[in-house]
Amino acid sequence: MRMGAGDEEAGAGLWNYNSSSKRVCVMDASGRLGSALVHRLLHRGYSVHAALHNHHEVESYKRQYWSDHENNNSKLRVLDSDPLDYQSIMEALKGCCALFYSFELPSDHPTYDEVMGELEVRAAHNVLEACAQTDTIDKVVFTSSATAVLWRDNNNQHDALPSESDVDERNWSDINFCKKFKLWHGLSKTVAEKTAWALAMDRGVNMVSINGGLLMCPDLSIKDPYLLGAAEMFKDGVFVTVDLKFLVEAHICVFEDISSYGRYLCFNHIINCNNDVVNLATKMSQSSSPHAMEDNGVYQQRISNDKLSKLMLDYDSGIQVE
């Protein structure tokens, strides 16, 4: 494993994905993001190890993707890879030059709590340790969340978010604050990402992270764990969302650009006025906006994705950063 994606001597430029090493691993490939990443990577000419966290989905996944990608059958390998099983992770990574890692809730446990948070942290530890032990891995793209950035106590007051300055990827959510107010999603994402970064720095793993906003998808509901504390995010001007296509392109960009480093806040829309709230509620099949989010004001945006915007400025994705 080699550090170097952010080193000055590396210089700017794109990853040479036309080189002989074009095999990457996507884990969990069955989630919304993972599935979309597999499609996009195959389209860009990569060979992909699609690692699924649920072994019951392997055969159906193969049938679906091989019917959708008749010309890419030889480029796709589908594996059962339990993030709590170190050996299965090693098998999924074998021969790959990179890993795209995300943790999505299993269908039988669709919300966050203390137990699920502990599982996510253990999974992050196992995956980064496995990457450190896999000589072919040159880069890890670790999917985190904006909730690992937003939450912190402001002078021990009830305001959950800082009021004096804009928020960006340099900020970390306060673990004790998340525990106190049972912000399980923010707590899990923060501790898991910190665990991953600690291992990456200790083992010399070249890692970048994507801290995405609320993922907009057809099955989005008011029960999405990201939405806990939505009223506070809204009023503090940091309630951000991201479209799946944009999120995927951001992942590909930070992977292929050799100058990428550290964390990247990723969003392409901010919810900061009442109309935004109503539109969001409509997308979640609600007849009106949730009571906790009702507000007639317009709040100043206080969150920045300038770092990602600059990186993607010359990236050939056809998508604009707001």
Side-chain angles (χ1 to χ4, degrees):
M1 298 300 300
R2 297 173 295 281
M3 294 295 287
D7 292 349
E8 291 183 1
E9 62 266 28
L14 293 179
W15 176 276
N16 181 17
Y17 62 88
N18 290 315
S19 68
S20 59
S21 179
K22 295 168 55 178
R23 186 175 300 276
V24 299
C25 179
V26 176
M27 181 187 304
D28 175 16
S30 62
R32 290 184 296 264
L33 172 61
S35 179
L37 273 170
V38 170
H39 275 287
R40 186 71 174 120
L41 288 162
L42 288 172
H43 179 74
R44 289 185 72 81
Y46 291 97
S47 295
V48 179
H49 285 188
L52 310 185
H53 290 176
N54 187 343
H55 70 276
H56 298 296
E57 298 176 344
V58 171
E59 292 305 318
S60 62
Y61 194 94
K62 288 179 180 178
R63 289 193 296 270
Q64 174 193 342
Y65 272 79
W66 289 349
S67 63
D68 292 345
H69 298 273
E70 293 183 7
N71 297 327
N72 287 322
N73 290 354
S74 62
K75 292 182 175 293
L76 177 65
R77 182 184 176 194
V78 184
L79 307 97
D80 172 19
S81 182
D82 183 347
L84 301 181
D85 180 352
Y86 184 79
Q87 291 304 317
S88 72
I89 301 171
M90 293 291 290
E91 179 63 27
L93 295 176
K94 190 175 297 183
C96 293
C97 67
L99 169 67
F100 294 84
Y101 174 75
S102 62
F103 182 94
E104 298 196 32
L105 294 172
S107 58
D108 60 349
H109 199 134
T111 189
Y112 273 94
D113 54 23
E114 288 183 277
V115 174
M116 186 52 60
E118 291 172 359
L119 291 177
E120 180 165 4
V121 173
R122 286 171 54 197
H125 182 279
N126 288 346
V127 167
L128 265 294
E129 185 62 48
C131 287
Q133 300 301 323
T134 304
D135 291 338
T136 57
I137 293 291
D138 288 322
K139 199 167 193 177
V140 176
V141 181
F142 186 95
T143 306
S144 185
S145 172
T147 60
V149 172
L150 302 175
W151 298 113
R152 69 174 187 245
D153 201 349
N154 186 30
N155 298 322
N156 296 318
Q157 297 175 0
H158 292 295
D159 290 338
L161 302 163
S163 59
E164 297 178 355
S165 61
D166 284 349
V167 176
D168 63 21
E169 58 280 327
R170 293 171 294 184
N171 297 106
W172 284 93
S173 289
D174 184 277
I175 292 173
N176 291 328
F177 184 87
C178 290
K179 288 179 179 178
K180 179 179 179 180
F181 292 98
K182 299 183 178 180
L183 297 164
W184 302 124
H185 187 269
L187 177 63
S188 300
K189 295 301 181 182
T190 302
V191 179
E193 188 188 348
K194 283 194 170 187
T195 298
W197 276 116
L199 265 169
M201 290 185 286
D202 183 63
R203 303 289 195 272
V205 177
N206 178 18
M207 185 179 110
V208 291
S209 68
I210 296 285
N211 293 76
L214 174 67
L215 179 59
M216 301 303 293
C217 54
D219 60 346
L220 181 65
S221 80
I222 195 64
K223 295 181 180 179
D224 191 297
Y226 186 105
L227 290 170
L228 185 61
E232 287 74 21
M233 286 188 265
F234 172 57
K235 293 175 182 178
D236 283 275
V238 294
F239 187 2
V240 291
T241 67
V242 63
D243 297 327
L244 180 58
K245 185 176 181 181
F246 182 81
L247 184 62
V248 168
E249 293 302 324
H251 278 72
I252 302 294
C253 176
V254 300
F255 165 55
E256 292 186 349
D257 195 317
I258 62 173
S259 68
S260 65
Y261 68 96
R263 308 168 84 203
Y264 290 87
L265 259 174
C266 180
F267 60 90
N268 58 349
H269 186 67
I270 181 162
I271 308 294
N272 65 344
C273 69
N274 193 55
N275 285 340
D276 291 332
V277 175
V278 172
N279 290 336
L280 178 61
T282 300
K283 291 178 181 179
M284 294 187 292
S285 300
Q286 303 291 325
S287 58
S288 61
S289 58
H291 178 72
M293 295 170 60
E294 288 179 358
D295 198 290
N296 292 321
V298 176
Y299 294 91
Q300 180 180 357
Q301 177 176 339
R302 292 200 310 99
I303 186 168
S304 170
N305 62 352
D306 285 351
K307 184 182 177 186
L308 179 63
S309 178
K310 290 175 183 176
L311 190 74
M312 295 186 72
L313 186 62
D314 297 321
Y315 179 66
D316 184 21
S317 68
I319 298 177
Q320 298 298 317
V321 180
E322 290 187 357

